[in-house]
Amino acid sequence: MTEFKPPAKADLTRFTSGSIAGRQDRLPGPLRELHRAVLRRFLATGAPPTSRWLRQAAADAGLDASALDELAAADTVHVSHGVVAVAYPFSGTPTPHRVELDGLPAAYAMCAVDALGLPAMAGRDGRITSADPHDGTPIEVSVRGGTWSWAPASTVVVAGRATDCGTGCGSFEAMCPNTVFHADGGSARAWLARHGGLDAQILDQHSAVECGRLNFGTLLTGPA
């Protein structure tokens, strides 16, 4: 059975413990800087870096080819078919969550919380477009000068984790497909009722933005 709580009782620690920020903090300094280089490349181009670019960036940082495996083992960067497929918050392939930050190319986020974390990570205003997976309702979220606007105004976020994925699953497998925007709480509850096997919570708008900030806000600005 899928478990969820109403937005008013959001417990963010359920979805920030073991976060990408914590995983980055635990990386050795040179590997942490390589991870940041991947994120900056995504920001600058809106496109996934190639594995060739990543190997060269590793070499420039004094790291050998094993750096790619170490990033994958830490569930920070995953390469597939010659390109970076996952570098939270970025997706190397199209997802429902498209993010347009001011002055930068559009990019795709891995999930709803990742999309909400991108403005905090980059320090820029922007716009997120997505869709309710229950009925296809278009979702648009924007931030300007610290003020967030949501359409529909009743939009919520489901943060969910698959309970049957096993301990070897990365966040891109266990959480990202199940962390989505919904047009309102009723749609979120209906979607959850049809998706068993999730440890899930419906987040109100403030909680969802805060979850994004906690997960991604320091990825480019933390200690070297």
Side-chain angles (χ1 to χ4, degrees), residues 18 23 72-76 78 88 161-178:
R23 299 198 299 275
D75 191 21
T76 55
H78 298 274
Y88 314 99
R161 179 185 289 110
T163 58
D164 59 355
C165 195
T167 57
C169 287
S171 294
F172 69 96
E173 298 164 298
M175 286 202 69
C176 293
N178 307 304

Side-chain angles (χ1 to χ4, degrees), residues 122-138:
R124 299 200 182 208
D125 290 339
R127 181 175 75 113
I128 300 161
T129 54
S130 189
D132 186 324
H134 179 61
D135 59 12
T137 299

Side-chain angles (χ1 to χ4, degrees), residues 23-36:
R23 299 198 299 275
Q24 186 197 68
D25 283 344
R26 290 189 290 274
L27 293 174
L31 206 58
R32 188 182 309 127
E33 286 307 305
L34 177 60
H35 178 235
R36 287 177 177 155

Side-chain angles (χ1 to χ4, degrees), residues 119-213:
M121 187 189 83
R124 299 200 182 208
D125 290 339
R127 181 175 75 113
I128 300 161
T129 54
S130 189
D132 186 324
H134 179 61
D135 59 12
T137 299
I139 306 286
E140 183 171 322
V141 183
S142 61
V143 58
R144 290 274 172 250
T147 298
W148 291 82
S149 301
W150 301 70
S154 54
T155 297
V156 296
V157 171
V158 166
R161 179 185 289 110
T163 58
D164 59 355
C165 195
T167 57
C169 287
S171 294
F172 69 96
E173 298 164 298
M175 286 202 69
C176 293
N178 307 304
T179 300
V180 291
F181 293 100
H182 285 274
D184 54 43
S187 174
R189 288 187 289 273
W191 185 81
L192 284 169
R194 296 176 55 187
H195 291 76
L198 296 180
D199 172 25
Q201 187 159 343
I202 301 174
L203 303 179
D204 61 29
Q205 294 169 5
H206 173 79
S207 298
V209 169
E210 183 66 2
C211 195
R213 184 190 68 80

